[in-house]
Amino acid sequence: MSTLATSLHLFPNNPFVRTKSVLPTFSTTITSASSSSYPINSNVSLSSIAPLEAILFDIDGTLCDSDPLHYYAFRDMLQEIGFNDGSPIDEEFFINNISGKHNEELCSVLLPDWEFEKAMKFMVDKEALFRRLAAEQLEPISGLNNVCKWVEDLGLKRAAVTNAPRSNAELLISMLKLEDFFEVIVLAEECARPKPFPDPYLKALNALKVSPNHTFVFEDSVSGIKAANGAGMPAVGMATRNPEQMLLDAGASLVIQDYNDPKLWENLQEMVQQKLPISSK
């Protein structure tokens, strides 16, 4: 691997140094709505889900803060092959062109002139690099354990639904110690179409034998929110790395910063105790 440039202010701690370190800050530079407000997107309402029966979770960026590691892996490997005339991709490019997309789609987005088999080999190598980084630096989203306990205490059904390859999904779930939490794990690579198509979420609903009318989704990406909405479910957007307004524009019904967000817990309690819809009030 080539030596990464260290001048980028977005990631002051280079994860390619093979030491245990704090996951670098991945601060967005894209203008977004105020993080103190949580407007409701009128396209999809959460009011129809009461009584709540199930919650579906994306993995990358939703269970764990993995986007910085994906970014590093793509930035280094793309620079090595001379992508963008050898200039490293920046955070804005990653958010707008890579985040949330399936590897087969990324082959045409990033490497349109390559033969598909060669482009997929690049993606496989990138995922292997990501797993090496994740094994050293992966951190759960703040409050994840609390929301998982809440789900278990209520006896809600739950599934993980991801565009990530099996090896990534298994590693992340194992590192987060959620092997016994999820009843079902749905991989987009085993569906006819990945997110943003609804197929993975429809498969999860079928496996859990629940109605989309009583289920909602935690998602952090535009493609994931569109997939959830397409399957007939509202989505709570996780503004882990992607701008809040981007998630709202994609169709998120509510955007939160992490699982400790007071607005999330206020609404969850209301849904369970009073069977009220999530609201921005």
Side-chain angles (χ1 to χ4, degrees), residues 129-197:
L129 175 56
F130 165 78
R131 289 191 294 275
R132 292 198 296 273
L133 298 176
E136 298 175 356
Q137 303 193 46
L138 189 73
E139 295 289 342
I141 299 297
S142 181
L144 176 63
N145 289 339
N146 292 333
V147 81
C148 288
K149 184 179 185 304
W150 183 85
V151 169
E152 288 180 321
D153 288 346
L154 287 178
L156 300 176
K157 295 183 178 182
R158 56 269 192 185
V161 183
T162 181
N163 268 359
R166 175 178 293 278
S167 52
N168 286 23
E170 290 178 346
L171 173 66
L172 300 187
I173 288 175
S174 174
M175 291 186 66
L176 295 169
K177 296 179 171 48
L178 294 176
E179 303 99 316
D180 297 329
F181 175 74
F182 289 113
E183 301 168 67
V184 172
I185 298 174
V186 175
L187 305 173
E189 64 187 22
E190 297 176 352
C191 299
R193 301 174 300 179
K195 306 173 191 177
F197 295 101

Side-chain angles (χ1 to χ4, degrees), residues 55-171:
I55 301 179
L56 309 183
F57 295 77
D58 175 50
I59 297 180
D60 274 305
T62 303
L63 297 178
C64 52
D65 193 9
S66 52
D67 267 6
L69 304 183
H70 284 292
Y71 170 85
Y72 272 121
F74 270 115
R75 187 183 73 173
D76 186 65
M77 291 186 63
L78 287 172
Q79 186 176 12
E80 191 171 271
I81 64 171
F83 183 85
N84 193 33
D85 295 325
S87 298
I89 62 171
D90 59 19
E91 178 191 1
E92 184 172 353
F93 180 90
F94 177 83
I95 290 173
N96 291 329
N97 298 280
I98 297 177
S99 180
K101 291 184 172 63
H102 191 262
N103 279 340
E104 290 188 8
E105 181 183 5
L106 287 173
C107 287
S108 60
V109 171
L110 299 176
L111 307 168
D113 298 329
W114 287 27
E115 292 183 358
F116 180 73
E117 292 75 12
K118 180 181 178 182
M120 278 302 297
K121 175 61 166 57
F122 176 92
M123 298 300 168
V124 168
D125 291 344
K126 173 264 162 185
E127 299 298 357
L129 175 56
F130 165 78
R131 289 191 294 275
R132 292 198 296 273
L133 298 176
E136 298 175 356
Q137 303 193 46
L138 189 73
E139 295 289 342
I141 299 297
S142 181
L144 176 63
N145 289 339
N146 292 333
V147 81
C148 288
K149 184 179 185 304
W150 183 85
V151 169
E152 288 180 321
D153 288 346
L154 287 178
L156 300 176
K157 295 183 178 182
R158 56 269 192 185
V161 183
T162 181
N163 268 359
R166 175 178 293 278
S167 52
N168 286 23
E170 290 178 346
L171 173 66

